[in-house]
Amino acid sequence: MLEIRNAKPEDLERIAQVEAASFPAEEAADKKTLEGRLNVYPNHFWLLERDGKLVSMVDGLVNNSEELLDSFYADPSLHDEDGKWQMLFGVETVPEFRKRGYASILMKEVIKDCVNDSRKGIILNCKEEYVPFYERLGFKKTGDAKSEHGGKHWYRMVMDLENRE
């Protein structure tokens, strides 16, 4: 059985495990960073559980910036619940559960929640190989991201929720 819900403080250990399994060490948030985020904006952690096991997760803060800045990753105080843009830090699925549609299911829930919260849109940065996945969900690649996160090259992806086709 699948369940989608927002995170609670007691989910920290499992969230940290999914983060570590989903990203290279130089890109993954450490447990302390995740705890800081979870304490400030748990309602911006979307968790997908299958039979009680956390298999996929999306998280990020809300802000009025139109760029996902590297400073957002480390500083949860930059979250503004009344902000216009939902920033996404990670769309993660535990490796043994990938290629089953869980990330797409979860992202559709994130999009729905952002529409319900009257957000202007959603912004994320991704690597080249993930651009097609986000485009299928309705994101547009707008160029290079202003990010040096993890020493990688990132593309800025935007979903305009006010002018969706």
Side-chain angles (χ1 to χ4, degrees):
M1 182 167 105
L2 296 182
E3 178 187 1
I4 296 174
R5 64 176 179 85
N6 293 115
K8 298 178 271 201
E10 56 266 27
D11 294 314
L12 176 61
E13 192 62 44
R14 295 188 313 148
I15 286 171
Q17 290 169 355
V18 171
E19 181 85 5
S22 300
F23 289 110
E26 64 273 10
E27 295 173 28
D30 62 25
K31 190 173 176 182
K32 183 178 178 192
T33 300
L34 290 166
E35 182 177 31
R37 293 176 188 173
L38 196 54
N39 287 335
V40 175
Y41 45 88
N43 56 321
H44 295 278
F45 277 78
W46 291 266
L47 309 180
L48 186 146
E49 295 175 324
R50 178 180 164 188
D51 300 323
K53 178 179 174 55
L54 180 57
V55 298
S56 193
M57 170 180 96
V58 175
D59 76 298
L61 60 67
V62 176
N63 195 281
N64 282 314
S65 173
E66 293 190 11
E67 294 288 339
L68 172 47
L69 305 172
D70 287 347
S71 58
F72 293 165
Y73 293 104
D75 189 353
S77 73
L78 297 173
H79 173 74
D80 175 1
E81 189 61 38
D82 296 322
K84 292 292 180 195
W85 294 95
Q86 174 69 58
M87 307 292 169
L88 297 184
F89 299 151
V91 177
E92 307 160 42
T93 301
V94 175
E96 62 264 29
F97 289 94
R98 291 183 183 156
K99 306 274 188 223
R100 299 184 191 185
Y102 293 132
S104 294
I105 291 168
L106 196 51
M107 281 297 293
K108 288 174 185 170
E109 186 72 16
V110 170
I111 294 164
K112 183 182 83 167
D113 286 353
C114 289
V115 168
N116 290 341
D117 289 342
S118 300
R119 303 283 178 227
K120 183 173 183 172
I122 304 169
I123 299 173
L124 60 89
N125 297 336
C126 75
K127 292 181 240 176
E128 179 70 37
E129 63 264 30
Y130 298 113
V131 168
F133 169 77
Y134 292 111
E135 287 178 335
R136 283 192 301 274
L137 290 167
F139 284 82
K140 304 256 187 288
K141 181 169 111 176
T142 63
D144 294 335
K146 295 178 181 173
S147 176
E148 298 175 5
H149 183 71
K152 301 290 187 339
H153 181 260
W154 302 92
Y155 292 97
R156 181 175 180 268
M157 304 293 293
V158 177
M159 179 180 283
D160 182 343
L161 296 174
E162 294 178 332
N163 299 299
R164 286 178 73 198
E165 299 165 3

